[in-house]
Amino acid sequence: VPVVLAIALLTLVGWLLAGAGLQVALLNAVAVLVIACPCALGLATPTAIMVGTGVAARHGILIKDAEALEIAHAVQAVAFDKTGTLTSGSPQVVHLQAADGNDEQLLQLAGSLQQGSEHPLAKAVLSACSARNLSLSAVTASQALPGKGTRANLGPRTLALGNRRLLDEQQLQAGVLGNAAEAWEAEGRSLAWLLELAPQPQVLGLLAFGDSLKPSARAAIQQLQALGIRCHLISGDNQGSVNAVADALGIDERQANVLPADKLAHINALRQHGRVAMVGDGINDAPALAAADIGIAMGSGTDIAMHAAGITLLRGDPRLVPAALAISRRTYAKIRQNLFWAFIYNLIGLPLAAFGLLNPVLAGAAMALSSVSVVANALLLKRWKANLTEDDA
């Protein structure tokens, strides 16, 4: 604006010094001001963002704010959680083995501990108990152990159900269940150990869960790789389960047995090499979603994950992740195009107005035309469609 005002003043003074009358000098100076009216510059970014967020919403991609849309275009790596993000999030109990051979009692104790929990593995245990018509016992002092499992009191006993990290933390040995654990982990199963912490610390049994990949997960990874984006799998699950999913999807970078705080550290480490997006759906993913340059939450996940993320996918379809990054890139390109056209109008129009080749009426029409062209260019974004085709493989 100061530059344009200075050019207008120079135009006025220049025409007066050239011997033109005040009316001619003033008209040419006004034409400079009119042709440079910054409407087009002011419209360039917000119109593109408005159309981009609107077309994304129609495809099930809810972009929380303009900043998320502007950041997402520069993402170079995407880190995925596993359960509920790339897998269906509806695991089933596929194996169980009690240390004393009483599998039904093992399942009944595990179900009692999981009452009221919303975790996918808890729902699998409760579903297995319901299928066998097992009655559950009341527990007290139930407590979640972030990244490890859960614990509660059942009468005089303190029980816990969790992953290998919990077993190691209690310094308990797998014993006769060790071979089963290795075999089931090699199958890609998620494992949960039932432990008695008091009065007699011991391993009571082992449960194994199976979860299927989402049908569109492989297509999503391939689309991201086609965009030149690196894919990472970061999960609190065991190494065997993580490897099975990563191998099936073609993800080379994978981290297993990761605590929520460790997920945060992994995201911060990835950010040292460029912009990073984190995709997750659970409570444990919330810190990583907030720490990433852009958090992407599955709409089928927890409220806290969606609150921490800048983008929410209203459907649990992993293909919406590359779609969200693609619409961000298209929107950013439109912003640059709009700014280009707005500046071109000024670069061409200002000299013409200053040399008296445009009167204020024509300058006003040209200014309006520049605004129309910017809006029309932004509206072309409405033709964008997400690539939701299935993987041919």
Side-chain angles (χ1 to χ4, degrees):
V1 170
V3 170
V4 170
L5 292 175
I7 293 174
L9 181 60
L10 288 175
T11 300
L12 177 66
V13 172
W15 279 98
L16 290 174
L17 292 177
L22 178 61
Q23 180 178 354
V24 173
L26 194 59
L27 283 174
N28 291 336
V30 169
V32 169
L33 292 175
V34 172
I35 193 67
C37 184
C39 292
L41 289 174
L43 289 170
T45 297
T47 52
I49 289 176
M50 179 184 68
V51 178
T53 53
V55 73
R58 287 203 303 273
H59 285 83
I61 304 166
L62 181 61
I63 299 174
K64 187 178 294 184
D65 52 40
E67 183 181 9
L69 189 67
E70 292 182 41
I71 291 175
H73 85 275
V75 164
Q76 296 172 304
V78 176
F80 287 92
D81 175 48
K82 182 177 74 70
T83 304
T85 303
L86 295 174
T87 66
S88 65
S90 301
Q92 302 294 324
V93 177
V94 292
H95 302 297
L96 70 159
Q97 183 176 336
D100 61 3
N102 192 341
D103 291 349
E104 285 209 351
Q105 184 183 44
L106 168 67
L107 190 58
Q108 189 268 341
L109 291 175
S112 298
L113 284 181
Q114 299 287 25
Q115 293 178 90
S117 174
E118 293 297 319
H119 194 279
L121 296 185
K123 293 180 179 179
V125 172
L126 294 173
S127 176
C129 290
S130 177
R132 299 192 184 196
N133 296 316
L134 298 179
S135 58
L136 305 181
S137 304
V139 296
T140 58
S142 182
Q143 177 187 2
L145 305 173
K148 301 172 188 175
T150 184
R151 63 180 289 171
N153 294 334
L154 182 59
R157 308 170 72 187
T158 300
L159 303 179
L161 184 69
N163 55 26
R164 184 74 191 215
R165 188 180 293 107
L166 181 62
L167 181 72
D168 295 337
E169 185 181 88
Q170 298 298 321
Q171 298 182 345
L172 295 172
Q173 300 299 319
V176 296
L177 302 176
N179 290 337
E182 291 180 7
W184 296 344
E185 185 173 334
E187 292 178 10
R189 307 301 186 187
S190 301
L191 304 182
W193 299 83
L194 182 64
L195 312 177
E196 180 179 326
L197 306 183
Q200 177 63 43
Q202 60 180 315
V203 176
L204 298 180
L206 176 65
L207 295 89
F209 303 85
D211 195 6
S212 60
L213 286 173
K214 289 182 177 179
S216 57
R218 182 171 174 79
I221 299 302
Q222 289 182 335
Q223 289 174 22
L224 286 169
Q225 291 170 341
L227 291 172
I229 295 172
R230 305 186 310 275
C231 296
H232 300 256
L233 180 58
I234 304 176
S235 175
D237 213 337
N238 63 67
Q239 192 68 57
S241 179
V242 170
N243 285 342
V245 171
D247 291 342
L249 298 179
I251 300 176
D252 294 326
E253 303 292 333
R254 73 280 300 263
Q255 298 290 336
N257 299 307
V258 179
L259 288 169
D262 295 333
K263 282 189 179 182
L264 182 62
H266 280 296
I267 293 298
N268 288 331
L270 289 175
R271 291 184 66 196
Q272 303 301 314
H273 305 286
R275 292 282 178 89
V276 178
M278 172 67 194
V279 187
D281 73 326
I283 294 174
N284 291 340
D285 300 320
L289 289 170
D293 293 292
I294 185 71
I296 303 177
M298 293 290 181
S300 55
T302 61
D303 290 341
I304 190 170
M306 288 183 275
H307 180 74
I311 297 176
T312 296
L313 308 181
L314 301 182
R315 302 189 306 276
D317 188 343
R319 291 173 299 179
L320 292 180
V321 174
L325 302 185
I327 186 58
S328 173
R329 291 185 176 189
R330 288 288 293 273
T331 301
Y332 189 74
K334 284 297 178 186
I335 291 173
R336 297 181 65 179
Q337 291 171 14
N338 285 348
L339 290 173
F340 170 79
W341 287 113
F343 276 111
I344 284 296
Y345 269 107
N346 285 340
L347 289 175
I348 295 175
L350 281 174
L352 294 177
F355 286 104
L357 301 177
L358 280 178
N359 63 47
V361 175
L362 292 176
M367 182 272 295
L369 182 61
S370 70
S371 298
V372 170
S373 67
V374 164
V375 173
N377 188 46
L379 288 173
L380 291 176
L381 269 174
K382 296 181 72 173
R383 300 185 302 176
W384 178 84
K385 294 186 183 298
N387 181 11
L388 299 181
T389 56
E390 292 287 354
D391 173 24
D392 294 334

